[in-house]
Amino acid sequence: MKSQDIPFAGGPLDGRTLPVLVTATGNPPKVYRVPVPDPDGGPDTVLVYVREPVPDGRAVRLVQKWRYAFAPDGKVERSVKWPWSKKSPGDA
């Protein structure tokens, strides 16, 4: 399996670069969830990071570099909403 070093922005992993497994297309996953165990033995906390392109100032480009941005509320907006897709518990 291939991996790519991806920088993280925001949240507890701010400024760190971690190796992330890439998909068959060579891109990292759109959402990266990091489980953090509770020291008191309670339920784990899940940190959610969303993939975004690294801004490089060029108007037209193929995205070669990615980074993960922290999603503090833990909710991720789905970009494609097919009629047969499962609905999230918060959708009405």
Side-chain angles (χ1 to χ4, degrees), residues 47-88:
L47 304 175
V48 178
Y49 286 85
V50 180
R51 183 185 74 184
E52 64 181 25
V54 173
D56 64 353
R58 290 187 286 169
V60 178
R61 69 190 186 296
L62 293 174
V63 177
Q64 297 294 325
K65 296 185 179 183
W66 299 98
R67 73 175 178 186
Y68 281 111
F70 183 60
D73 57 357
K75 295 181 183 176
V76 178
E77 189 78 25
R78 289 180 15 180
S79 60
V80 178
K81 296 186 180 185
W82 300 104
W84 56 82
S85 298
K86 271 186 161 178
K87 296 189 183 216
S88 300

Side-chain angles (χ1 to χ4, degrees), residues 11-35:
L13 296 178
D14 188 26
R16 293 187 186 181
T17 301
L18 299 175
V20 176
L21 293 176
V22 295
T23 62
T25 60
N27 293 326
K30 291 181 182 179
V31 179
Y32 192 76
R33 290 181 169 83
V34 181

